Amino acid sequence: MSRRITIRDVADLAGVSVKTVSRVLNKEPNVRPIMQDKVNSAVAQLNFKPNPQARGLRGNKTFILTLLYSNPNPDYILEVQNGAMEQGNAEGYNLQIFPCDHKNENLIETVSSFLEASPQDGVILTLPLSDNLQLIELLEKKGIPYTRISPFYSEHNSPSVGSDDQKAAYDMTKYLISLGHTDIAFIKGHPDHSDTDKRFSGYKQALNEYNLSLNEEIIKQGFFTFESGEDCARQLLAQKQKPTAIFASNDCMAAGVLKVSKQLNLAVPADLTIAGYDDTSVSQQVWPAITTVKQPIHLLGKMATKKLICKIKQKTWDEIQSIFECELVLRDSSSICNSTTN
Amino acid sequence: MSRRITIRDVADLAGVSVKTVSRVLNKEPNVRPIMQDKVNSAVAQLNFKPNPQARGLRGNKTFILTLLYSNPNPDYILEVQNGAMEQGNAEGYNLQIFPCDHKNENLIETVSSFLEASPQDGVILTLPLSDNLQLIELLEKKGIPYTRISPFYSEHNSPSVGSDDQKAAYDMTKYLISLGHTDIAFIKGHPDHSDTDKRFSGYKQALNEYNLSLNEEIIKQGFFTFESGEDCARQLLAQKQKPTAIFASNDCMAAGVLKVSKQLNLAVPADLTIAGYDDTSVSQQVWPAITTVKQPIHLLGKMATKKLICKIKQKTWDEIQSIFECELVLRDSSSICNSTTN
DNA sequence: TTGAAAGCGCTAACAA
DNA sequence: TTGTTAGCGCTTTCAA
């Protein structure tokens, strides 16, 4: 391994002072174009890359962003990671991850000690951490810039991005209604996730708009797990008047519903229409493939990172909260209602 | 935000020199216990955390490990990440991720420029990157310590960890044979992944041991994707003499097989036994749930990290390559062979 | 517009 | 065994 190229080497080669090189590298004003050219060509010639640690030490920066998450859905997390990476790298930041367990009693302590021990320029929070008030308080207290993905609470006036879950759930419900379904069951997500409420609201909104009454008997509390989907499906499909469609708040639970339907010899979609949410791989890999909602997860990761970097650089952004549209992905688990009662 | 606590504050409070504090922090020898106590209590009192950037700048270290991957399987990657995090954090390292695309023509350049721009102490490689000779050469040339997860090639004598894929595939095949199956089809994985060969070898080994002939007609080339599983299944199940069992090299493909079976009105497992590999979430969320092989992925991530840190610290490790056992996960997609021809 | 010098927080080399 | 000093590679301050 050869000796590291430093800013001094560049300065010597370009015949300028180190400060001038620094100015050019950091795009500071007040450098004559001639100087800039000299520096740039020296940089290129030596393939010089400034040492982030040295830059950080002096400027109290790290060029590291941390993604904090506690989410059992690998498809979701990986897509957020990819989006965050893409944007971060484009702007010269690296991405550090810190998976944690939101049910852990010592969460705050754990995160706090992590943040102290490993400095970073900013933090990205995903659900359900986005809504963890203690965590937000901690970040505020420490003065660490952060953005949140899909938060429910917006008191803190911190930048956030999200997708329009309510509208998507509304659209999906409307679609189910358009297929002729009137007994549309709903399986809610985990009460700790704020998504849960938004999706449920969209469902209610659509029913309301079409003058369908809200039937508490066909609204079940799930927990975003496959098993909870099964449980709810068993309850729903054991009722005298079975729903003709079940809208589950995520794909895992929808897959659970599909399993139970098959066990009960119900044909999907002929006897029962199923809809999920998230467009995770399982929704494509079961049969029939599940009709679902696709969130722009990659984009959320990207934009959260973009906003975070703006905040770090003290630049302003038009909107504190940006909401992106989801899209319906129609697959084979949904069809026109065949029920004789309708 | 208050001023950062530095080693000087600790030294002042403890009434010693900064070097003594440094010695205690780094567990260097030749410090009297009395001094150690003084320093430790000052550290605790001030809640002092050394600045990794400053330590790194001086010692040419970063305390950052990078996980390099290019793998379409989120369950796998996230589990590796978690394992690597767990071990890394325990030893004072942070984990940076760098997802890349192994099919990208500029992969080497991309990684190279990433490595130059963002210094780290070591790199962990997962498949298929573990077998990318150019990448390995790059790391060797730059003198960056690395470990590989599940590599096939071991020329480079670098530490690696892996699971015993051949044995697991052998065990699974033997299990299928024990159920009375003799026409056991095999769907191979992507030719770029070295896992593919190991799994196929295990299959062949078992057939051989039980004097079952290798029938090329029921061995198909898949690509680890759901669609390739479907394609292979369609070919296999269109043959005059259908296999009674299909062993797919991963769960995605097994899910594809399951879908096709259902489309063809074959009952699983009554008419067809299906086995997968990887124990990803999809294997549990389809119905019937798929019999599969569980790799100790979390452990692989952990051990790869542990070995990497040893290498960084120039400590030795007994074995250059550690192999861990997989386990069979028997679910509902496999049963005793009912075929009348047997 | 440019440069010299100081210093970010820590550790290595050396001195006491 | 302990302390002093220099310096890692960069940016900031201030002077030219």
Side-chain angles (χ1 to χ4, degrees):
Chain A
M1 266 208 309
S2 51
R3 196 180 59 83
R4 219 200 136 87
I5 308 286
T6 75
I7 198 172
R8 176 145 279 119
D9 300 316
V10 177
D12 289 347
L13 182 63
V16 300
S17 75
V18 290
K19 180 62 220 187
T20 301
V21 178
S22 174
R23 275 195 257 265
V24 174
L25 291 174
N26 293 291
K27 302 199 194 339
E28 285 173 34
N30 300 336
V31 182
R32 279 182 303 163
I34 309 165
M35 290 300 210
Q36 293 187 21
D37 291 345
K38 279 203 263 183
V39 171
N40 285 326
S41 70
V43 166
Q45 199 179 323
L46 296 170
N47 188 28
F48 170 73
K49 315 263 178 178
N51 180 335
Q53 306 212 73
R55 295 220 287 167
L57 183 57
R58 192 67 185 96
N60 207 25
K61 288 173 230 145
T62 62
F63 306 97
I64 292 172
L65 267 24
T66 299
L67 181 66
L68 226 58
Y69 57 87
S70 165
N71 188 313
N73 185 337
D75 295 80
Y76 184 88
I77 291 300
L78 218 68
E79 202 52 36
V80 170
Q81 286 181 0
N82 288 339
M85 258 309 286
E86 193 176 312
Q87 186 66 34
N89 257 49
E91 303 201 45
Y93 286 82
N94 286 129
L95 188 68
Q96 205 171 62
I97 56 174
F98 193 73
C100 44
D101 177 9
H102 68 104
K103 284 163 298 187
N104 186 325
E105 284 190 8
N106 303 317
L107 175 69
I108 301 299
E109 281 174 47
T110 308
V111 174
S112 175
S113 112
F114 168 75
L115 294 175
E116 281 159 9
S118 2
Q120 63 268 301
D121 292 349
V123 171
I124 302 166
L125 259 36
T126 66
L127 276 182
L129 269 23
S130 308
D131 284 322
N132 186 318
L133 262 22
Q134 288 183 71
L135 195 54
I136 292 170
E137 200 183 331
L138 178 76
L139 291 165
E140 293 279 348
K141 207 177 64 190
K142 292 196 186 294
I144 299 173
Y146 63 94
T147 44
R148 295 181 293 158
I149 296 182
S150 304
F152 185 76
Y153 303 111
S154 51
E155 297 88 271
H156 275 274
N157 220 36
S158 70
S160 68
V161 299
S163 60
D164 199 341
D165 272 18
Q166 175 163 350
K167 175 162 184 306
Y170 165 83
D171 287 344
M172 178 61 88
T173 310
K174 223 167 91 174
Y175 161 72
L176 296 175
I177 294 171
S178 78
L179 292 174
H181 295 280
T182 50
D183 291 335
I184 303 171
F186 189 83
I187 302 180
K188 297 198 224 177
H190 197 289
D192 286 357
H193 279 241
S194 58
D195 285 353
T196 293
D197 291 332
K198 296 196 230 160
R199 293 176 193 177
F200 186 47
S201 298
Y203 163 79
K204 287 188 292 189
Q205 186 192 341
L207 290 191
N208 192 49
E209 191 172 313
Y210 286 84
N211 292 312
L212 294 171
S213 59
L214 201 68
N215 179 357
E216 293 289 347
E217 305 228 321
I218 55 173
I219 294 168
K220 297 289 169 189
Q221 179 69 58
F223 299 95
F224 279 149
T225 62
F226 180 72
E227 289 72 22
S228 69
E230 289 181 79
D231 290 344
C232 293
R234 271 195 207 96
Q235 293 170 38
L236 289 167
L237 298 172
Q239 298 177 357
K240 50 257 142 259
Q241 204 195 338
K242 291 185 184 69
T244 61
I246 299 180
F247 181 9
S249 295
N250 78 351
D251 290 337
C252 274
M253 296 196 296
V257 174
L258 183 58
K259 170 181 167 183
V260 170
S261 320
K262 286 181 189 161
Q263 288 179 324
L264 298 175
N265 273 311
L266 288 170
V268 175
D271 300 330
L272 178 71
T273 278
I274 299 175
Y277 205 109
D278 278 344
D279 190 37
T280 47
S281 53
V282 69
S283 66
Q284 303 167 51
Q285 300 186 354
V286 291
W287 194 72
I290 298 174
T291 289
T292 189
V293 171
K294 184 182 172 64
Q295 286 192 67
I297 306 177
H298 190 90
L299 185 65
L300 293 180
K302 259 188 88 152
M303 298 309 286
T305 307
K306 199 166 179 177
K307 283 197 168 189
L308 179 57
I309 294 172
C310 276
K311 195 176 176 191
I312 291 167
K313 295 188 173 164
Q314 318 262 28
K315 289 182 188 159
T316 51
W317 186 285
D318 294 344
E319 60 220 327
I320 190 81
Q321 197 166 173
S322 310
I323 300 294
F324 300 94
E325 292 288 300
C326 299
E327 58 179 289
L328 260 44
V329 180
L330 306 183
R331 296 212 179 94
D332 306 323
S333 67
S334 55
S335 74
I336 289 172
C337 179
N338 293 318
S339 168
T340 50
T341 63
N342 292 288
Chain B
M1 264 206 313
S2 51
R3 192 181 62 81
R4 218 199 137 86
I5 307 286
T6 76
I7 198 172
R8 175 144 279 119
D9 300 315
V10 178
D12 288 349
L13 182 63
V16 300
S17 75
V18 289
K19 182 60 216 187
T20 301
V21 178
S22 174
R23 275 195 257 266
V24 174
L25 292 174
N26 293 290
K27 302 198 195 335
E28 285 172 34
N30 300 336
V31 183
R32 277 183 305 164
I34 309 164
M35 290 298 210
Q36 294 187 22
D37 291 345
K38 278 202 263 183
V39 171
N40 285 325
S41 71
V43 166
Q45 198 178 325
L46 296 171
N47 189 27
F48 168 74
K49 314 263 180 178
N51 180 335
Q53 306 212 72
R55 295 220 287 165
L57 183 57
R58 192 65 186 91
N60 205 27
K61 287 173 230 143
T62 62
F63 305 97
I64 292 172
L65 266 25
T66 300
L67 181 67
L68 226 60
Y69 57 87
S70 165
N71 188 311
N73 185 336
D75 295 80
Y76 184 89
I77 292 300
L78 217 67
E79 201 54 32
V80 171
Q81 286 181 359
N82 288 340
M85 257 311 283
E86 194 176 311
Q87 187 65 33
N89 257 50
E91 302 202 45
Y93 286 81
N94 286 131
L95 188 69
Q96 206 171 60
I97 56 174
F98 193 73
C100 45
D101 177 8
H102 68 106
K103 284 162 298 189
N104 186 324
E105 284 189 9
N106 302 318
L107 174 68
I108 301 299
E109 281 174 47
T110 309
V111 174
S112 176
S113 112
F114 167 76
L115 293 175
E116 281 159 9
S118 1
Q120 63 268 301
D121 292 349
V123 171
I124 301 166
L125 258 37
T126 66
L127 278 182
L129 268 23
S130 308
D131 284 322
N132 187 316
L133 262 21
Q134 287 182 72
L135 195 54
I136 291 169
E137 201 183 333
L138 179 75
L139 291 165
E140 293 279 348
K141 207 177 65 190
K142 290 197 185 295
I144 298 173
Y146 62 94
T147 42
R148 296 181 293 159
I149 296 181
S150 303
F152 185 75
Y153 303 110
S154 51
E155 296 87 90
H156 275 275
N157 222 33
S158 70
S160 68
V161 298
S163 61
D164 198 342
D165 271 19
Q166 174 164 350
K167 175 163 185 305
Y170 165 82
D171 287 343
M172 178 61 88
T173 309
K174 222 166 94 173
Y175 162 72
L176 297 175
I177 293 171
S178 78
L179 292 174
H181 296 280
T182 51
D183 292 335
I184 303 171
F186 189 83
I187 302 180
K188 295 199 226 177
H190 197 289
D192 286 357
H193 279 242
S194 58
D195 285 353
T196 293
D197 290 332
K198 296 198 231 160
R199 293 176 193 178
F200 186 47
S201 298
Y203 164 78
K204 287 190 291 188
Q205 186 192 341
L207 290 192
N208 193 48
E209 191 171 313
Y210 286 85
N211 292 311
L212 295 171
S213 59
L214 202 69
N215 179 356
E216 291 291 347
E217 304 228 321
I218 55 173
I219 293 168
K220 297 289 170 190
Q221 180 70 58
F223 300 95
F224 279 149
T225 63
F226 180 71
E227 290 72 23
S228 70
E230 288 183 79
D231 291 345
C232 293
R234 271 195 208 96
Q235 293 171 37
L236 289 167
L237 299 173
Q239 298 178 357
K240 49 260 142 254
Q241 204 195 340
K242 292 185 184 66
T244 61
I246 298 180
F247 181 10
S249 295
N250 80 350
D251 291 336
C252 276
M253 296 195 296
V257 174
L258 183 58
K259 171 181 166 184
V260 170
S261 320
K262 286 180 189 160
Q263 288 178 325
L264 298 176
N265 274 312
L266 288 171
V268 175
D271 300 329
L272 179 71
T273 278
I274 298 176
Y277 204 109
D278 278 346
D279 191 36
T280 48
S281 53
V282 70
S283 67
Q284 302 166 53
Q285 300 186 354
V286 292
W287 194 73
I290 297 175
T291 288
T292 189
V293 172
K294 183 182 174 61
Q295 286 192 67
I297 307 177
H298 190 89
L299 184 64
L300 293 179
K302 259 187 88 151
M303 296 309 285
T305 307
K306 198 165 178 179
K307 283 196 168 192
L308 179 57
I309 295 173
C310 277
K311 195 177 176 191
I312 291 168
K313 295 188 173 166
Q314 319 262 29
K315 288 183 188 159
T316 51
W317 187 283
D318 294 342
E319 60 221 327
I320 190 83
Q321 197 166 172
S322 309
I323 301 294
F324 300 94
E325 293 288 301
C326 301
E327 58 180 290
L328 260 44
V329 181
L330 305 183
R331 296 211 179 94
D332 306 322
S333 67
S334 54
S335 73
I336 288 174
C337 179
N338 293 319
S339 168
T340 50
T341 63
N342 292 288

